[in-house]
Amino acid sequence: MTILETIFMAVLALAAAGAGAVYFVHMLQLCSYQFGQYRHYLQKNTKSIFSLRRLESLLLLLPWILNQGRADRGAYYGVMLLGYCVLNRPKKAKKPLVYTARVKRLLGTSAVLYVLALIPGLLLPYGMAIFGVVLLCTPLVVLLANFINTPVEKMVARYYVEDARKKLQSMPDLTVIGVTGSFGKTSTKYFLNTLLSTKYHVLMTPGNYNTTLGVVRTVREMLSPTHQIFLCEMGARHKGDIKEICDLVHPRYGIITAIGEQHLESFGTVDTIIDTKFELYDAIPADGLCFLNEDNEYIATRKVGSNVIRYGLEGERDYKASDITVTPSGTEFTVSAPDGESFRYKTRLLGEHNVQNITAAIAVCHKLGISLEELQPAVRRLEPVPHRMQLIRGGSNYTVIDDAYNSNPKGAQAALRTLSMCQGLRILVTPGMVELGEREFDLNFQFGKQAAACCDYVALVNPRQAEPIRQGLLAAEFPEEKMLVADTLQQALAFAQSCGQPGEPRFVLLENDLPDNY
């Protein structure tokens, strides 16, 4: 080959490598760049990673590898490389790859590794075999690039954290409220933001910016001297994660919404989850308060000091929601305060767990000087958080309850209770719950048994993942003819629309949606 042809072929070869690398960088990003989570993804998806299509696409390169790119076949080999690129192009994702600075550095390091593999391929007899093997091992190339970049990423992270720390220290009058829990924390944060904004200038961490670097980015890019309150959502997958955020923001108030069996793959045990969530309580100063959902068994049994406010729906609570009624337009309930004052509230939101979260927000606002009466209009204005028991009208007789975000055993059970109260045909669409470690099969099996008592029809998505739910449904004697195991969400939704008689009211609960790395 001429020099120009060699350069052209090298560019095509690197494009072929990049087509696969972008996909696995995306998977690594969804795994939070954590080796353990990425390894688990590779283990669970071995068949799809080394799929027949992927191996077939590598065969397209075999003539070039064996003939070492003969000059008279350059055009043919170019077409083969382009074919490889097309077959391995990234698929449309539910949550697309975000091209952050870290991702760009990761792709750059991966590119360097591919160039190092390509050099002997262009210079040595049959050296392209080396490049072919590297292409086949793209998941490991991305992992190696992440390992190489680790020192740089730690240095960059330290710089950003210290910059955010200095900004927070420059605002000593800022009140920080931390919100954590296995579930309910994002909804509570949104509700609290709406209610507090009736009196204060509030900043909350947007979306799911609940990691240390997510909080850091919020502080550096969004916090201004005019803000009076900073609502900081605190997520965790490992012990110490919440303490790390607390050491940065120093919350004066905290809310622990609920604790349950979630992210057991990384936490290991429920006791570790409890200890991690209570890292927020441990960080609250003596003159601060921590608001605890006393209806949650794991929270109620934890020994704490006197600087707590207990809220919930049952028993003796400092702030208690009672007389809950569900209507076609939403939910009504009464909240009682420690001084005996009480007010009736209306919200468009559904479900007892939403009432719990609203009660937590009301309790915090009341302690920060907003009267129960002042909060009534704000509660009425509350909007559902996307994909968290969000009502979507699909027509006069078709209503979707979108609870597709990050399902867990307690949350799924609460969603089923809400579905059971709907007047009409009740249909569940779900792939089941993930990241539950050794308990995953049993908890999904129990979910299936619970669903059998609440649903008229069930559509399960992803045959492999949903198998324990199917077994639970059958164990509870749910009619098999009223069940569908679908390959895709689209097939499941089509089944839901076909259920029942024309014009019959239908309520479809979307419970969880598997991320792209599942």
Side-chain angles (χ1 to χ4, degrees):
M1 281 187 177
T2 67
I3 294 177
L4 286 178
E5 286 175 325
T6 301
I7 293 173
F8 176 69
M9 295 300 293
V11 170
L12 283 179
L14 291 175
V22 168
Y23 174 79
F24 289 104
V25 167
H26 184 199
M27 295 302 103
L28 187 60
Q29 185 180 72
L30 292 175
C31 295
S32 303
Y33 306 101
Q34 298 292 321
F35 171 73
Q37 293 179 47
Y38 186 69
R39 180 186 62 188
H40 180 73
Y41 154 72
L42 294 178
Q43 289 172 341
K44 289 197 72 171
N45 295 274
T46 303
K47 289 183 180 180
S48 60
I49 291 170
F50 298 103
S51 64
L52 182 61
R53 193 189 74 165
R54 180 168 164 75
L55 293 174
E56 285 174 344
S57 64
L58 277 171
L59 289 176
L60 291 176
L61 303 182
L62 194 58
W64 189 36
I65 292 172
L66 295 180
N67 290 280
Q68 199 58 24
R70 282 168 39 195
D72 59 340
R73 302 296 298 277
Y76 169 76
Y77 300 137
V79 171
M80 295 299 98
L81 280 170
L82 287 173
Y84 179 88
C85 293
V86 171
L87 284 174
N88 287 274
R89 68 188 185 278
K91 299 177 183 178
K92 184 179 179 181
K94 300 170 187 174
K95 184 179 179 182
L97 174 64
V98 181
Y99 284 88
T100 61
R102 178 168 187 169
V103 165
K104 293 174 183 177
R105 288 191 291 268
L106 188 54
L107 288 172
T109 303
S110 299
V112 171
L113 293 175
Y114 284 123
V115 169
L116 293 175
L118 185 59
I119 290 173
L122 296 172
L123 299 179
L124 301 177
Y126 300 106
M128 283 307 300
I130 298 174
F131 189 71
V133 171
V134 171
L135 279 181
L136 186 62
C137 297
T138 291
L140 303 181
V141 172
V142 169
L143 187 62
L144 176 60
N146 188 57
F147 176 76
I148 292 171
N149 284 6
T150 296
V152 173
E153 299 304 336
K154 286 183 177 179
M155 183 175 64
V156 171
R158 279 197 299 269
Y159 170 79
Y160 287 150
V161 169
E162 289 307 312
D163 190 52
R165 194 188 309 277
K166 290 176 184 176
K167 190 169 185 179
L168 288 165
Q169 290 172 347
S170 71
M171 300 175 62
D173 295 330
L174 180 70
T175 298
V176 180
I177 302 174
V179 185
T180 193
S182 297
F183 47 93
K185 55 184 177 292
T186 302
S187 297
T188 302
K189 176 189 68 176
Y190 274 91
F191 300 158
L192 190 54
N193 179 62
T194 299
L195 301 190
L196 283 173
S197 295
T198 60
K199 184 175 181 179
Y200 299 100
H201 189 199
V202 184
L203 172 68
M204 70 172 180
T205 50
N208 295 313
Y209 279 39
N210 58 18
T211 64
T212 299
L213 291 182
V215 173
V216 165
R217 184 175 179 182
T218 304
V219 171
R220 295 180 71 245
E221 297 180 4
M222 304 175 194
L223 185 65
S224 73
T226 61
H227 285 118
Q228 298 168 288
I229 294 177
F230 177 36
L231 290 178
C232 181
E233 182 179 344
M234 301 178 178
R237 288 180 180 270
H238 303 90
K239 190 171 183 179
D241 285 354
I242 291 176
K243 182 181 184 302
E244 185 176 69
I245 299 175
C246 289
D247 289 343
L248 171 65
V249 302
H250 300 290
R252 185 177 179 187
Y253 300 98
I255 307 172
I256 303 179
T257 59
I259 295 175
E261 295 173 298
Q262 193 175 32
H263 302 314
L264 280 171
E265 284 180 359
S266 53
F267 280 116
T269 66
V270 174
D271 287 339
T272 304
I273 298 174
I274 297 171
D275 290 341
T276 303
K277 299 304 179 184
F278 269 86
E279 289 171 1
L280 173 57
Y281 168 78
D282 295 336
I284 301 300
D287 62 344
L289 289 171
C290 193
F291 296 77
L292 304 178
N293 177 7
E294 197 72 2
D295 293 341
N296 183 269
E297 57 181 314
Y298 297 118
I299 295 176
T301 54
R302 181 80 173 197
K303 292 183 179 181
V304 293
S306 58
N307 61 333
V308 299
I309 296 293
R310 304 177 188 275
Y311 68 90
L313 312 181
E314 304 170 358
E316 296 297 323
R317 307 286 185 263
D318 297 308
Y319 287 86
K320 181 179 178 180
S322 58
D323 301 325
I324 301 171
T325 58
V326 179
T327 69
S329 59
T331 308
E332 297 183 17
F333 58 99
T334 299
V335 172
S336 304
D339 59 7
E341 183 185 16
S342 65
F343 268 89
R344 189 78 175 164
Y345 294 94
K346 295 181 180 179
T347 177
R348 288 174 288 175
L349 308 180
L350 294 179
E352 289 184 350
H353 57 295
N354 271 324
V355 174
Q356 277 183 333
N357 296 334
I358 295 171
T359 302
I362 290 173
V364 174
C365 292
H366 194 237
K367 284 297 181 181
L368 290 177
I370 307 177
S371 70
L372 296 184
E373 185 175 8
E374 288 178 285
L375 292 170
Q376 282 183 312
V379 171
R380 201 158 35 237
R381 291 195 306 270
L382 288 175
E383 296 284 345
V385 180
H387 311 303
R388 293 166 175 85
M389 295 302 289
Q390 179 185 12
L391 277 180
I392 302 173
R393 301 290 181 184
S396 58
N397 294 308
Y398 189 82
T399 302
V400 174
I401 305 172
D402 184 355
D403 195 38
Y405 180 80
N406 204 18
S407 187
N408 58 83
K410 290 289 185 182
Q413 188 175 10
L416 287 174
R417 280 200 303 269
T418 300
L419 181 66
S420 69
M421 292 187 287
C422 296
Q423 301 300 311
L425 210 60
R426 298 160 300 183
I427 306 165
L428 171 66
V429 175
T430 182
M433 300 171 287
V434 297
E435 296 185 354
L436 295 173
E438 295 178 355
R439 295 269 289 147
E440 187 166 296
F441 187 96
D442 290 340
L443 290 171
N444 276 301
F445 180 84
Q446 292 301 321
F447 178 39
K449 294 182 69 174
Q450 293 162 2
C454 303
C455 306
D456 299 304
Y457 291 87
V458 175
L460 303 175
V461 184
N462 189 322
R464 181 191 66 184
Q465 186 65 36
E467 177 59 22
I469 305 176
R470 189 186 74 85
Q471 292 188 25
L473 286 163
L474 294 176
E477 299 182 350
F478 188 82
E480 194 164 2
E481 64 272 14
K482 294 188 175 183
M483 182 197 320
L484 172 73
V485 181
D487 292 320
T488 66
L489 177 61
Q490 288 69 30
Q491 292 174 356
L493 291 175
F495 171 78
Q497 289 182 323
S498 69
C499 293
Q501 300 300 319
E504 187 177 6
R506 282 166 290 175
F507 294 85
V508 180
L509 171 63
L510 300 182
E511 188 59 30
N512 204 17
D513 185 18
L514 295 181
D516 296 288
N517 52 327
Y518 278 88

